[in-house]
Amino acid sequence: MPDGIDIQLKKGVLGLCVLALLSARDNYAYEIAARLADDIGMGEGTIYPLMRRMQSDGLVETYLVESPTGPSRKYYRLTEAGRRAFESQKAEWLGFSRAVDGILNAATPSETGETA
């Protein structure tokens, strides 16, 4: 897949991925960034602006947690609007990904060497 398409696909689902991670538990930005870097190859430089935008859009809120070994950490949690957005986007993604899977599977050559 060309890099441009790959990057755009990742950026398109990045917000959904952040909402999914936060739906499981509150988290701080570095841990979210590290998880997304490991799992889908997105760098921190992409994630931090997204977190700020999600906060200004009212999807997440922050709170500080004291750390025994350093400065306090800023944790993110979903707001009620964030939970609704996650459920809506998740449903849309599942429908979309099923449609794409159907197209991809129909395009797979059969075992006899014929194309669909």
Side-chain angles (χ1 to χ4, degrees), residues 14-35:
L14 192 58
L16 176 58
C17 291
V18 169
L19 292 173
L21 291 172
L22 291 174
S23 74
R25 68 182 175 93
D26 297 357
N27 225 320
Y28 57 101
Y30 178 79
E31 192 170 14
I32 293 168
R35 173 79 188 268

Side-chain angles (χ1 to χ4, degrees), residues 1-99:
M1 178 181 308
D3 286 342
I5 293 172
D6 190 30
I7 294 292
Q8 292 307 311
L9 285 173
K10 289 177 184 181
K11 285 183 177 180
V13 299
L14 192 58
L16 176 58
C17 291
V18 169
L19 292 173
L21 291 172
L22 291 174
S23 74
R25 68 182 175 93
D26 297 357
N27 225 320
Y28 57 101
Y30 178 79
E31 192 170 14
I32 293 168
R35 173 79 188 268
L36 294 175
D38 289 346
D39 291 355
I40 62 173
M42 292 305 294
E44 290 178 33
T46 306
I47 294 160
Y48 287 103
L50 173 63
M51 300 302 293
R52 285 191 295 276
R53 188 169 59 251
M54 292 175 87
Q55 186 175 8
S56 68
D57 290 346
L59 301 177
V60 299
E61 58 189 12
T62 62
Y63 61 95
L64 292 176
V65 173
E66 295 294 324
S67 173
T69 59
S72 298
R73 287 187 175 155
K74 183 194 296 188
Y75 274 74
Y76 290 83
R77 67 176 155 227
L78 291 182
T79 62
E80 190 54 42
R83 290 190 188 290
R84 287 191 305 270
F86 170 60
E87 291 303 324
S88 173
Q89 290 179 29
K90 180 180 173 183
E92 289 177 29
W93 173 260
L94 292 174
F96 176 75
S97 64
R98 278 192 293 271

